[in-house]
Every structure is written in C-alpha cells, then in structure tokens.
C-alpha cells in the first residue's frame, strides 16, 4: 500500500471510529428514551465467559465467519464466508482438513427435551455443504453432509457416509458407513459406490487447496495501483456527468 493508499485508509478508519463514538455518546445523552440501531463491528473470533476459540495457524477462517466460545478448528481446515460456529453452552470440535462451507451453522445442546447434553464433533477431512445446520451431532472422519442438510441432536454420521442435500436427519439417528440418506425425515436411499467414497476425500482435498488461495488473497494489502484505478474511474464518471 503506497502513501496515498495508507492516507485514505487512515482517514476512513478515523471517520468510522468517530461515527461510532458519536452514536454511543448520543445514546447516553438520550437515556432510556431513545431508539437505538446498534452499530457493531464484526469479530471473527469471540470469547464467551471463559471460553476461547482455538484455531490452528494454517486453518482458514473467512473474514465474515463467526467463531464463538469453546470451538476448536484443526490444521488445514476451512470455515467459509458467513459461517457461524457457536460454542457457548457446549463445545465444538472440528478436525483437520475439514471444510465448513458458506453460511453453514454449527451449534451445540446444553440440554434438550430428553435432558441430554450434546457437543458437536466433526472429524477429519469432512465436507459440510453450503447452508447446512449441525446441532449437537457427530460427523466422523471423511463423511459428507450435503447443502442445506439439517442434523439434529444426537445424530451420528459414520465414516464414509453421506447425507444428501436438503435432508432433515432426526434426533439420535445413526447413518452407517457407506450409506446415503436423504429426504424429510431422512431415510436410507442406497449404498455409496467406491467412486463416491473416493470423491469425499477428493472434495476435502480440493477445498483445502482452495482455502489456501482465499487465505493468501485475504492477507494481501490494498494495492495502490488498483486503488488509483478506482479513484480515476470515479473522476472520469463525475466529469462525464458534469458535461
């Protein structure tokens, strides 16, 4: 980032800080008689009580993801954009080489109707598709959870098992090795082929490589040349409107 880029970034930062400070001051002056639309700065990692997230150094956590409380993320795993991992009333454990794709939600159960306590445990080289919901369940190594699937408390997805996209897996269901389950409620559909089992490992490896690309791009500073291109484009548009 060049001199102009750093200056623009610094000015923008202080404007945002000043705006939030003014909102807080105004809210205090109004006391209880105010309408408050909370301004909140997103935090990717957040403590709850004494529970602190533990993320491996080479794991990728997207900037818009939220990892909260007692959550462990293993080496080479990836938590993608818009995901929420909320380990507030119990723990979440994610192994190595696992990918939790965009907008997925992982939570836990302190207690449910049967009075059971369920952490969420996700093994190694697991793929969890976009917008899936995992709640107080166990997904063993090299298993596959399809897009928008929902796994409820006590569910166990065994190694080399697959949950089809959109499936709703009811409480305390066990999906055996080598089977595909789908539907609402989820039921046994068929056995996985050897090719499909191999695909599960390939999917995890592919996402691990892709996560490295995203991690590199997210770590890059604002490029001065690109910044100047944006400014020049805006000036050109403004001139055209004036003419």
């Amino acid at each position: 980032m060049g001199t102009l880029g750093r200056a623009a970034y610094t000015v923008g930062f202080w404007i945002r800080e000043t705006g939030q400070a003014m909102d807080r001051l105004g809210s205090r002056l109004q006391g209880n008689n105010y309408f408050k639309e909370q301004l909140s700065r997103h935090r990717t990692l957040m403590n709850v009580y004494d529970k602190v997230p533990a993320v491996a150094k080479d794991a990728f956590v997207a900037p818009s993801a939220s990892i909260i409380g007692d959550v462990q993320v293993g080496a080479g795993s990836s938590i993608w954009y818009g995901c929420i991992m909320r380990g507030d009333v119990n723990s979440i454990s994610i192994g190595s080489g696992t990918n939790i794709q965009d907008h997925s939600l992982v939570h836990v159960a302190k207690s449910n109707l049967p009075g059971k306590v369920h952490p969420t445990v996700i093994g190694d080289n697991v793929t969890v598709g976009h917008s899936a919901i995992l709640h107080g369940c166990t997904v063993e190594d090299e298993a596959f959870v399809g897009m928008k699937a929902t796994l409820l408390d006590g569910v166990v997805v065994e190694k080399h098992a697959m949950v089809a996209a959109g499936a709703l897996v009811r409480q305390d269901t066990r999906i055996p090795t080598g089977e595909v389950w789908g539907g609402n409620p989820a039921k046994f559909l068929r056995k996985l082929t050897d090719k499909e089992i191999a695909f599960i490992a390939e999917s995890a490896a592919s996402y691990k490589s892709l996560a490295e690309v995203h991690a590199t791009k997210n770590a890059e500073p604002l490029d001065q040349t690109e910044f100047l291109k944006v400014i020049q484009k805006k000036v050109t548009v403004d001139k055209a409107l004036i003419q």
Side-chain angles (χ1 to χ4, degrees):
M1 185 185 296
T3 304
L4 179 59
R6 286 196 297 271
Y9 175 85
T10 302
V11 171
F13 174 82
W14 284 113
I15 289 173
R16 294 179 67 189
E17 288 291 311
T18 303
Q20 291 196 41
M22 291 179 67
D23 176 74
R24 290 193 294 271
L25 176 60
S27 296
R28 292 193 187 100
L29 292 173
Q30 289 178 309
N32 295 325
N33 302 313
Y34 72 94
F35 172 80
K36 182 177 179 183
E37 183 176 347
Q38 184 69 43
L39 294 177
S40 175
R41 179 181 299 163
H42 174 75
R43 285 185 286 173
T44 302
L45 303 179
M46 189 177 85
N47 301 353
V48 173
Y49 310 119
D50 60 343
K51 300 172 182 178
V52 183
V55 179
K57 289 183 179 179
D58 64 344
F60 168 64
V61 179
S64 58
S66 297
I67 297 181
I68 302 163
D70 191 358
V71 181
Q72 294 185 353
V73 180
S77 287
S78 53
I79 312 299
W80 289 81
Y81 303 94
C83 286
I84 299 174
M85 314 282 112
R86 182 154 63 91
D88 47 4
V89 296
N90 212 320
S91 64
I92 296 171
S93 175
I94 299 170
S96 61
T98 287
N99 61 92
I100 311 295
Q101 295 174 18
D102 314 69
H103 297 287
S104 291
L105 169 65
V106 180
H107 194 220
V108 291
K110 183 178 181 180
S111 62
N112 52 24
L113 287 176
K116 295 180 181 179
V117 176
H118 291 290
T120 295
V121 180
I122 303 171
D124 300 335
N125 302 316
V126 172
T127 289
V128 176
H130 311 287
S131 299
I133 299 175
L134 280 64
H135 198 278
C137 59
T138 298
V139 182
E140 296 182 355
D141 298 347
E142 295 183 19
F144 188 99
V145 178
M147 294 183 288
K148 293 190 176 181
T150 299
L151 279 57
L152 300 181
D153 296 354
V155 167
V156 177
V157 182
E158 294 184 359
K159 183 176 182 178
H160 293 161
M162 181 178 289
V163 179
L168 173 62
V169 187
R170 292 187 295 188
Q171 289 184 351
D172 300 320
T173 299
R174 177 176 285 269
I175 299 179
T177 297
E179 293 186 1
V180 185
W181 283 50
N184 182 3
K187 297 179 181 179
F188 169 73
L189 299 180
R190 59 177 176 83
K191 291 284 188 178
L192 282 167
T193 65
D194 290 342
K195 187 175 182 179
E196 287 169 331
I197 291 174
F199 169 76
I200 296 174
E202 292 168 6
S203 174
S206 175
Y207 257 89
K208 183 177 180 181
S209 298
L210 186 59
E212 291 172 359
V213 175
H214 280 257
T216 301
K217 281 295 180 183
N218 276 285
E220 287 180 356
L222 178 65
D223 183 82
Q224 183 179 2
T225 303
E226 291 301 317
F227 178 77
L228 291 174
K229 284 181 181 178
V230 172
I231 297 298
Q232 183 61 45
K233 183 177 180 181
K234 186 178 186 308
V235 171
T236 302
V237 171
D238 289 345
K239 285 182 177 178
L241 290 175
I242 293 171
Q243 293 173 356

